[in-house]
Structure formats: C-alpha cells, structure tokens
Amino acid sequence: MAAAAMSLVVSAGSHSVCVQAGKGFSISKPKGYKLGPRAALVEARPRVNGSQMAVQVLGGDRAEDLQAEARAMARAANASVYSPELLARKYGSRPVQVVKRTLEILIALGSFALKLLLDERNGTLDQNKRKRAAELRTIFTRLGPTFVKLGQGLSTRPDLCPPEYLEELAQLQDALPTFPDADAFSCIETELGMPLDSIFSSISPSPTAAASLGQVYKAQLKYSGQTVAVKVQRPGIEEAIGLDFYLIRGLGIFINKYVDIITSDVVALVDEFAFRVYQELNYVQEGQNARKFKMLYADKEDILVPDIFWNYTSGKVLTMEWVDGVKLNEQAAIERQGLKVLDLVTTGIQCSLRQLLEYGYFHADPHPGNLLATPEGKLAFLDFGMMSETPEEARFAIIGHVVHLVNRDYEAMARDYYALDFLSTDVDVSPIVPALRDFFDDALNYTVSELNFKTLVDGLGAVLYQYPFNVPAYYALILRSLTVLEGLALYADPNFKVLAASYPYFAKRLLTDPNPYLRDALIELLFKDGRFRWNRLENLLVQGKKDRDFSAKDALQPVLKLLLGPDGEELRTLVIKEAVRVTEAVVLGTVVDTYNSVPPFMRGLMFNGNGNGVLAMRAGELELMMELRDQVFRIWGLLRSSENFDPALLQPILQVLQKPEAHSLGGRVVGGITQRLAARLLQQVL
C-alpha cells in the first residue's frame, strides 16, 4: 500500500523513518506498560494443533516480541479460512442472493462491452478511451474487492492495456473508496481491547490510503513516539468475497466439465487464489509472512522489508512502521530524488528470482502500490497478505529448463514437465517435442525488442493447450508475479527485458550451486559431442559477474569436487581431453609469440628460412589454437577480476587436488600432453 504523496512501509523494529505525524488527538500512556528489555523470559508459543505449549528460554526484546506475537495470534483465533464446502452450504441455500449478484456482474460488464462495441462501430474507440477507462475503473470499484484485484493486475500490463486504461486502473492500488473512520476506529478498539487514546498519541483523522481489503491510517505510538501505519480491514469484506468466489468456482466447475480447450484444472486455480485472498483477511498471518520474508531476503542492503508491532496487531488490525516512498511506476517522482528507475527494477527482479528459485517463498502480489522506492534508494516490499511457495524440485527444474532452452534441447525440455508437475509420468512427451521446437526456434530468433516474458508465456500457452498439461496452482501465481514485474519494468523502459535481466542470476546459480541437478545442468551446457564449449563458460562468467553475489571460489570448487567424485569418470575423460588441448594451445601459443617477437632477419637464420614459421601447421589450425588459448586467458582474467577474488581461494582447491583421484587425473593429463607435444615435434622434424 502507498499513499499518494507519502507512502508507507512497515517495519517492526526499533528503526523507523520518522515523519511528522498528521493532525490527531493526544492520549494517555498505557497503564502498566514497562519499557526496556528484561534479562530472560520464558516464551510460550501455542502449536497449530493446540497441543502442549513449546517453551523456550529467550533473551530480552526477542522473547517479548514473540510473546506479543502469541497474544496477537490468540486475538486472531477466529479468523475466517477458505472452505468451498462451507461457501456451497451457505450460498446454496440463498438462490435469490446468488442470482442478484450474478445479474449485477453480468449487467455491469455486459453494458461496458456493449459500449466498446458501439464505439468500434462508430469509429470513436480511440476518442473515448479515457472515458471508457474511467468507467471500467468505476465498475471494478463498484463490483467490489474481487474485481478490484483483477483491475490491479491489469494496471501493471502496458502491453495489454492502452495508457489511458493503465492510468485509471492504477488508482485501484491505493485510491479506492474509503469506509467511515468511526467504523475503523471502533474496529481498532474492539480488536485490540484498548481505548484508542491509550495506544496512539496521534492518528490521522482520515485514511492515507485505501486498498481492496482495508485502509491505512498514519499514527504515532504513545509508548515510543514511532510513526506507524495502521491498516484496518473493511467491514463486511468476508461476505463480499465469499459470494464472488462461490460464483467463480461454479464457473470453474462448468469450464472443467464442458470446455475441452482448457486442460488446466480451473477449480484448483480458483481454490488456490481464494485461499490466498482469505489468508489476506488474517492480518496476523500477514505479519508472520512479513517476518519470514524479511528473514530470507532483507539481508541485501537495497531491500527494505517491514516488521510488525505485535502488541497492536490482530486479525483485522495491522500496525506497521511508516516509511516514506514513491511507487515504482512513478518514474518522474523517482528521478527527482536522484534515483534510477531501472536500478530499482533490476533490484526487484533479482530479489524476485531469489524468492522463486532460491528459497521458494515469494510475494504473489507485487503491484506498484506494494513496491516503493525510498529516498535512500532502497526497494521496499509491502503488503504480505498474498504469499506462495515454489516446491524445491520445481525450483531446480525451472533452472534446468532454462539450460535446455539455451541448448535448444527440446527432448529434455519436454521431460522437464514431469519434474514441474505439468504432466503425469505416464504421458508420452514425444509428440510435444515438435511443437516445442516449432515455437522456440522462432522465439529464440526474435530481436531483443520482440522477445519478452509475455511472448514466451503466450506462445508456450498455445502449445500447452494442445496437450494434456495440468498447470499447478502455485505456477499460476509465479506467472502472475513475473508478468507484473515485467509490466513494472516496461513503465521505465519499453524495451526492457526481464529475461535478459534475469540471466545473471541463472548464470551465477549454475556456476556456484552444488546441487547435483544443477551440476548436471552445467555440464550439459558446457559439453557437447565430447568437446568443451569455452564460449559458453566465458558467457556464463561474464553474466554471472553481473550478479553481486557471484563468488569465484564458489564457482570453482563444486565443479572440482564433482570432477573427482566416484561418479565422475565419464566427465574426467572429457576433461582430460580438453586439458590436453588447452595445455597444447598455451605451450604452442607461447612458442608462436616468442617466434613473432624475434626480428625478421633473425628468423631466417634460426629456422633455416622455413616459410611456414616456427610450426609446421595449417593457418586455420593455428588460428583455432590461438583463439582457444586467448579464450582461456580471458576466462582466467574474469575469475581474477571477481570482486571477492583472493589467491587464498586456491587453497581449498589444492586440498581437493591432493586426493588420490586428482593424482590419477593429473598423471593422465600429463601423459596426454606429452604424447601430443611429442607428435607435434616429430611432425616438425619430418
């Protein structure tokens, strides 16, 4: 969430950006509230199943924070959860209400579609764009939270909606109608069990932002003076979204049964989305999501993640730190602060890749109102109500899928769909391979301005519809997250490509991750037909170095361990052949350089007028050998120029090389080099 002029982040810690609080009222200090840490406390955290308490002795502020969280969980004990069965029983007995809502939706969207049709027939489609965009925003707002979320997603897609629609729908992110302040303040007191004036020394008389599920007030905590954001849930929100999801799920059942062209389980997708939205209604769950997100991703200095004030949080009230910021799609405002939009977008992409592929815990609703640029140049993530997880096997399969795409190995790409849980293992993937080849051979030949994430998703979607694919529910949220990020990037630069910006992360993971699946993917990428592709390694290092977490040490040691492992004989054979080639290229290249440094008049004396130079080799063969040597030198230079390069990184590598397997490998390499050089010498003599 973000305010128009001042935006809010939330951070539950002792650090906050102090901003002058808005006009409010003065109130008294909470009775019995003790300041300062205590030496040690006993934490009692109720387990999910309500079994015996887990007791742990903790120190000071951390223990007090955990106790406050436990009390917040108790306040949210009756929070609603998504249950299709309960909704069916509830609304199945209310046919009048169901029919009324259905007609309301059909009339609203149908009348809008009719206006567009008339505009097209009258030739006024472009002329009325602004007017129709405003009407669509009004319709979504009137239809309620479910359609507001739909509009929020569309507002981040400049490649789907004209600019007029983007500008209007963007207002759905934080400029929604508010509900009465008296209802909000009453909710705070009821949920927290305290008078308002015992919590805050001041609070804004009206909300600073309104979102689909709640609205936010700016306040100042009485006990500490910290400026905070207080999010309060809209009254009656559960009833509104419950009926909509009942109707949408019914539509999903109809599609699954009668629409053959859609092979995905639409009901599963609806259930996944509804489950996430219902989680958003529990603000304690959102606070716990924020804490986990901060623990995983706020280790980077350019990422700001909010914490939560648990003493003032419940199922319907969330108290967070206030932070100044500008929405990520407000390019002019960001640049006025001396910041670069693309730097912030790249930071967001790198963080999102870590979310999706490193830890698997990701923010599933990153619209512009939830991503802020702070004056210090940090990217702040907000609103952690909708989160999801990528299964571990799928994380590695996605990275491997990228490798297979680069290699144009469509048979392996098709097999990846087993690991991604797109296909049952009893489905034959061989008919899918030609369709993948036809699409990606064209897609990989696109220019940079043509190839983007949406191009791939749309084209691959056309392939998926032809075959018995079942897209997992979590994957739909991944696609939504990535398309939103690309939409945000396109605000800053219409030619910006998320795929290109993502490649450094993929390169770093391939070079440094010791996971066996990724090690195999790296070998597959670097070796082809028994030859090592040095250009691929050089490209990986060039791209990987663009990632700030790249480590030369991490890039070298895992490969060596794999090479010398018990299952590495086939790889060792390939490496020996390549090591012989490289050593030969370095030795003979040095000889050629030495020869070329000799003055011309001396060459004839030293080499008896040999017109072919110092080596009896064809020009093309010598050129390839010199190119190989130069490429190896460039790769070594890339490793040495790594920001954290230290000669000490060779020490663990030397330890690995001291193993018996390494001695055998070294002997085989030396033997191969000796044979090649002896053959070259004999060729020269003859």
Side-chain angles (χ1 to χ4, degrees), residues 6 15-21 218 220 224-227 321-324:
M6 309 281 284
H15 303 289
S16 65
V17 177
C18 286
V19 187
Q20 183 178 358
K218 183 178 180 181
Q220 193 169 43
S224 66
Q226 284 179 286
T227 304
E321 178 190 9
W322 179 281
V323 176
D324 287 313

Side-chain angles (χ1 to χ4, degrees), residues 140-152:
F140 281 165
T141 302
R142 190 171 64 246
L143 288 177
T146 309
F147 290 88
V148 166
K149 286 194 169 293
L150 172 63
Q152 288 175 347

Side-chain angles (χ1 to χ4, degrees), residues 144-361:
T146 309
F147 290 88
V148 166
K149 286 194 169 293
L150 172 63
Q152 288 175 347
L154 291 174
S155 73
T156 63
R157 296 305 306 183
D159 49 349
L160 292 179
C161 297
E164 295 84 357
Y165 282 81
L166 295 176
E167 294 172 13
E168 289 292 336
L169 294 179
Q171 297 182 40
L172 294 174
Q173 291 152 11
D174 57 9
L176 294 170
T178 62
F179 58 89
D181 300 307
D183 291 349
F185 295 154
S186 175
C187 178
I188 294 173
E189 293 184 330
T190 301
E191 287 288 307
L192 302 183
M194 292 183 282
L196 206 63
D197 60 357
S198 68
I199 305 172
F200 307 114
S201 59
S202 64
I203 188 168
S204 57
S206 58
T208 58
S212 54
L213 303 183
Q215 60 193 34
V216 178
Y217 294 84
K218 183 178 180 181
Q220 193 169 43
L221 290 177
K222 182 141 191 182
Y223 87 95
S224 66
Q226 284 179 286
T227 304
V228 294
V230 185
K231 183 162 73 168
V232 187
Q233 195 170 111
R234 289 180 179 273
I237 189 71
E238 296 175 18
E239 180 74 18
I241 67 171
L243 179 54
D244 281 346
F245 280 125
Y246 171 74
L247 295 174
I248 294 172
R249 194 174 193 274
L251 178 62
I253 293 173
F254 177 84
I255 292 173
N256 280 355
K257 191 172 182 179
Y258 298 108
V259 182
D260 295 334
I261 192 173
I262 299 179
T263 58
S264 297
D265 187 345
V266 178
V267 172
L269 295 176
V270 171
D271 285 344
E272 175 74 9
F273 181 68
F275 173 75
R276 301 297 173 185
V277 172
Y278 267 80
Q279 276 194 327
E280 288 190 77
L281 296 180
N282 184 349
Y283 285 174
V284 171
Q285 178 65 54
E286 179 176 344
Q288 292 172 327
N289 293 344
R291 182 189 58 196
K292 181 176 180 179
F293 194 91
K294 183 181 183 72
M295 178 185 69
L296 293 177
Y297 308 116
D299 55 332
K300 306 303 177 188
E301 61 181 10
D302 50 8
I303 297 293
L304 178 62
V305 179
D307 289 333
I308 307 300
F309 290 95
W310 293 109
N311 280 324
Y312 311 112
T313 293
S314 72
K316 296 183 179 181
V317 176
L318 183 62
T319 302
M320 316 168 281
E321 178 190 9
W322 179 281
V323 176
D324 287 313
V326 178
K327 289 191 296 184
L328 208 58
N329 62 338
E330 296 180 355
Q331 184 173 356
I334 291 175
E335 291 177 349
R336 282 196 298 269
Q337 296 184 21
L339 305 176
K340 294 182 179 180
V341 178
L342 288 183
D343 289 345
L344 292 160
V345 169
T346 301
T347 296
I349 291 170
Q350 294 299 311
C351 183
S352 294
L353 289 170
R354 292 185 70 203
Q355 294 174 49
L356 298 172
L357 302 176
E358 198 164 321
Y359 296 107
Y361 186 71

Side-chain angles (χ1 to χ4, degrees), residues 621-653:
E621 183 182 4
L622 181 60
E623 183 179 342
L624 290 175
M625 190 167 292
M626 297 295 287
E627 182 180 339
L628 173 61
R629 184 198 67 160
D630 293 343
Q631 198 162 39
V632 171
F633 284 170
R634 286 198 304 273
I635 289 171
W636 176 243
L638 287 170
L639 289 172
R640 291 188 60 190
S641 63
S642 178
E643 184 176 346
N644 57 357
F645 182 84
D646 186 340
L649 70 84
L650 296 175
Q651 184 176 354
I653 295 174

